[in-house]
């Protein structure tokens, strides 16, 4: 049976550790035992570290508490970092065979903050090669399988993180999001994932002044845990000059709020722009009733802008931003042979672009942002599904059709998350429920720029009214209780 320790919420577990009701060694052993039982079935946690070394680190955390050393919010909690960020001394592959033997020499900015907060790094969470594609598989570690149906995709690129959370193999998890990498796997594994505003969490990069549309954010099984981890991750760092100059303490504020009269727009399929698999919109529309029960006014509406123009502007921006880090690999024939087709597609698409093409696409993106900003003058939030279909077969790379519509590119099926990415908005993925086949689906609660706290507050109220993560345990856990 799962240990009571691994079934505890992260905040409650952290409190029990600080109160010395449970030792860090007990916590580490409970999690490692649980991982030993379940991880072979899903392959969510990779580069797992030696048990003896992890127990020694846990014992050091216990000794610090015994000496009265102040404990950070993650003190003694086991943590696995998504394998797109370096953790000093741990294998750092980004899912690529080119980097299969790479060991990180230093922590990223975000990882250093987790370490300072007391987390113990037990390994990494699996991700697709270079984070490309919303299906977690790579030639280094293999396929990560859905927490609710191991024949299905975990989503991605934070698929390992979402599955590890859902199966209680981690208390909280970190992820990144460009084209739904926090939102899609959260929705497909019945947990919470938070795409934050650009700069909210400092992200290391080759170019500090031209950030991508990718961001870092937290994942959790409830909203207070999500806010706790974001409080650790967020805040200005001088090495990242465009990071937001506020610390994470703001996320320690109360999440309680009255939502009577709050206006929410349900964007649905954006007036037919997005194809959806049968049943997805039904699950999501049923979830909207919870917001109405909280006192919200829910109306179907969308920003006044050409969605096709927004999508066509996304494609060159995506290629340009993605190709930069991959270009050196592409130019080396030996390394190019090891790149997945999607990586080559992005680089070759970027090489066809001019600076004028990028400027034109960025101008459309700005126009889209302005349309969304005006939209928020009428609505407090808008809501859209986290994916256009339920989790698909884990053994295929990406779906070629949705509801009879052919997908033109490997990320065409992720169009439903791109409007948020292009506007740089915070979007908090919450569980919406389950389809007829028992597969999870999620909703994105989207707020205005820098509106993370408002997103957390609405998600907290929604979670209190639904309790999906508590009530609908994955069969791998439910069968063992």
């Amino acid at each position: 049976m799962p240990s009571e320790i691994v079934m505890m919420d992260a905040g409650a577990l952290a409190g029990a550790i600080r109160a010395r009701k449970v030792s860090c060694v007990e916590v580490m052993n409970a999690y490692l035992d649980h991982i030993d039982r379940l991880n072979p079935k899903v392959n969510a946690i990779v580069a797992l570290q030696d048990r003896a070394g992890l127990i020694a680190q846990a014992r050091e955390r216990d000794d610090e508490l015994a000496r009265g050393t102040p404990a950070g919010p993650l003190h003694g909690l086991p943590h696995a970092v998504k394998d797109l960020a370096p953790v000093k001394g741990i294998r750092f592959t980004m899912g690529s065979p080119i980097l299969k033997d790479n060991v990180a020499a230093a922590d990223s900015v975000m990882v250093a903050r987790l370490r300072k907060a007391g987390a113990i790094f037990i390994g990494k969470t699996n991700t697709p090669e270079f984070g490309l594609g919303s299906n977690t598989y790579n030639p280094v570690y293999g396929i990560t399988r859905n927490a609710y149906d191991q024949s299905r995709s975990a989503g991605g690129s934070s698929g390992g993180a979402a599955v590890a959370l859902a199966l209680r193999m981690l208390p909280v998890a970190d992820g990144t999001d460009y084209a739904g990498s926090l939102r899609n796997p959260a929705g497909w594994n019945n947990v919470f994932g938070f795409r934050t505003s650009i700069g909210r969490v400092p992200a290391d990069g080759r170019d500090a002044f031209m950030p991508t549309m990718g961001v870092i954010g937290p994942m959790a099984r409830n909203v207070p845990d999500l806010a706790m981890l974001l409080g650790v991750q967020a805040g200005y760092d001088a090495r990242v000059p465009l990071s937001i100059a506020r610390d994470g303490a703001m996320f320690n504020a109360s999440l309680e709020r009255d939502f009577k009269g709050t206006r929410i727009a349900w964007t649905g399929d954006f007036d037919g722009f997005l194809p959806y698999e049968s049943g997805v919109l039904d699950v999501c529309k049923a979830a909207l009733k919870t917001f109405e029960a909280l006192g919200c006014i829910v109306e179907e509406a969308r920003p006044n802008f050409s969605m096709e123009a927004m999508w066509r502007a996304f494609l060159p921006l995506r290629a340009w931003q993605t190709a930069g880090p991959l270009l050196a690999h592409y130019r080396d024939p030996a390394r190019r042979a090891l790149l997945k087709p999607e990586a080559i597609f992005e680089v070759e698409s970027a090489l066809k672009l001019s600076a004028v093409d990028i400027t034109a696409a960025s101008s459309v993106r700005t126009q889209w942002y302005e349309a969304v900003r005006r939209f928020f003058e009428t609505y407090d939030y808008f809501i859209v599904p986290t994916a256009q279909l339920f989790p698909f077969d884990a053994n295929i790379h990406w779906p070629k059709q949705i509801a009879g519509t052919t997908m033109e590119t490997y990320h065409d099926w992720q169009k439903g998350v791109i409007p948020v990415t292009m506007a740089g908005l915070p979007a908090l993925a919450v569980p919406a429920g389950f389809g007829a086949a028992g597969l999870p689906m999620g909703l994105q609660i989207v707020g205005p720029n820098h509106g993370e706290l408002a997103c957390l507050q609405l998600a907290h109220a929604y979670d209190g009214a639904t309790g999906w993560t508590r009530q609908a345990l994955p069969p791998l856990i439910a069968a063992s209780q």
Side-chain angles (χ1 to χ4, degrees):
M1 292 182 62
S3 160
E4 290 183 8
I5 288 174
V6 304
M7 298 301 290
M8 293 175 71
D9 293 337
L13 181 58
I17 288 173
R18 287 193 294 270
R20 303 182 70 184
K21 294 179 180 178
V22 62
S23 72
C24 297
V25 169
E26 289 174 308
V27 170
M28 184 60 69
N29 274 316
Y31 268 95
L32 293 179
D33 288 346
H34 191 62
I35 290 167
D36 285 346
R37 284 193 295 270
L38 294 190
N39 196 52
K41 301 177 186 298
V42 292
N43 191 37
I45 295 176
V46 297
L48 187 65
Q49 300 297 286
D50 175 71
R51 180 183 284 253
L54 294 174
I55 295 299
Q57 292 182 60
R59 188 170 292 113
E60 290 174 5
R61 297 293 196 280
D62 284 328
D63 291 344
E64 289 170 359
L65 289 175
R67 294 193 300 268
T69 304
L74 304 179
H75 189 92
L77 295 189
H79 192 89
V81 173
K82 182 178 177 180
D83 198 24
L84 294 184
V87 179
K88 184 178 180 180
I90 295 181
R91 197 176 177 200
F92 175 36
T93 75
M94 304 180 85
S96 169
I98 297 170
L99 304 173
K100 64 183 178 64
D101 298 319
N102 184 46
V103 175
D107 292 339
S108 71
V109 171
M110 187 272 296
V111 169
R113 290 181 174 183
L114 300 183
R115 192 185 295 277
K116 184 178 179 182
I120 300 174
F121 299 114
I122 64 171
K124 308 298 279 289
T125 55
N126 204 20
T127 184
E129 183 180 333
F130 294 113
L132 298 176
S134 200
N135 184 16
T136 299
Y137 67 92
N138 63 65
V140 180
Y141 293 118
I143 299 171
T144 295
R145 299 182 177 276
N146 191 282
Y148 284 80
D149 182 341
Q150 284 71 67
S151 71
R152 302 293 179 135
S153 170
S157 60
S158 306
V163 172
L165 265 179
L167 291 176
R168 277 60 180 173
M169 294 190 290
L170 292 176
V172 289
D174 63 87
T176 59
D177 188 291
Y178 192 117
S181 292
L182 276 158
R183 295 165 281 166
N184 178 32
W188 278 3
N189 290 280
N190 194 44
V191 295
F192 295 85
F194 200 0
R195 177 190 166 89
T196 53
S197 301
I198 293 172
R200 176 64 69 191
V201 180
D204 307 68
R206 295 181 315 121
D207 189 332
F209 287 98
M210 297 187 74
T212 73
M213 290 186 279
V215 300
I216 299 171
M219 303 185 82
R221 290 186 297 271
N222 64 49
V223 182
D225 287 354
L226 201 70
M228 177 183 72
L229 182 55
L230 181 56
V232 172
Q233 294 174 314
Y236 178 75
D237 188 284
R239 292 165 291 182
V240 186
L242 300 184
S243 55
I244 297 173
R246 294 187 66 178
D247 63 29
M250 63 182 292
F251 302 114
N252 297 327
S254 173
L255 299 179
E256 304 298 328
R257 177 177 155 190
D258 181 4
F259 284 96
K260 185 176 181 180
T262 298
R263 300 196 67 186
I264 295 176
W266 160 247
T267 58
D269 63 3
F270 284 92
D271 290 341
F273 176 69
L274 302 172
Y276 277 94
E277 181 181 357
S278 176
V280 170
L281 293 178
D282 293 334
V283 169
C284 294
K285 286 178 181 178
L288 295 177
K289 296 176 183 177
T290 299
F291 296 101
E292 293 177 333
L294 293 171
C296 300
I297 300 167
V298 181
E299 301 172 344
E300 186 161 356
R302 71 170 183 85
N304 182 21
F305 196 82
S306 166
M307 302 307 294
E308 182 65 21
M310 181 277 304
W311 170 247
R312 292 299 164 190
F314 166 78
L315 293 174
L317 291 173
R318 164 75 172 190
W320 167 59
Q321 294 179 354
T322 303
L326 299 174
L327 195 56
H329 300 314
Y330 178 85
R331 286 177 169 162
D332 180 328
R335 284 184 281 168
R336 183 192 303 184
L338 297 174
L339 288 174
K340 68 190 293 187
E342 292 80 1
I344 293 173
F345 166 79
E346 296 290 9
V347 173
E348 293 184 345
S349 297
L351 291 174
K352 299 172 186 176
L353 299 170
S354 70
V356 173
D357 295 328
I358 298 301
T359 300
S362 188
S363 176
V364 173
R365 183 187 177 198
T366 299
Q367 294 166 29
W368 165 243
Y369 172 78
E370 280 298 310
V372 173
R373 186 185 62 78
R374 290 192 296 270
F375 192 60
F376 279 118
E377 293 174 356
T378 301
Y379 295 99
D380 300 293
Y381 305 86
F382 71 81
I383 288 179
V384 64
T386 55
Q388 293 166 243
L389 73 170
F390 292 104
F392 53 78
D393 186 337
N395 295 298
I396 68 172
H397 297 302
W398 45 277
K400 301 302 189 291
Q401 285 192 338
I402 299 177
T405 300
T406 299
M407 301 293 102
E408 296 178 3
T409 68
Y410 80 97
H411 39 32
D412 200 351
W413 68 274
Q414 298 166 250
K415 274 184 180 175
V417 299
I418 302 308
V420 168
T421 297
M422 284 286 278
L425 305 175
L428 202 163
V430 302
F434 293 76
L439 296 172
M441 181 49 61
L443 291 172
Q444 303 174 63
I445 295 175
V446 184
N449 192 25
H450 294 191
E452 281 87 351
L453 183 58
C455 290
L456 288 164
Q457 290 169 334
L458 181 56
H460 182 53
Y462 172 85
D463 184 34
T466 57
W468 280 115
T469 62
R470 299 181 296 278
Q471 297 176 18
L473 294 174
L476 287 176
I477 289 181
S480 62
Q481 287 193 310

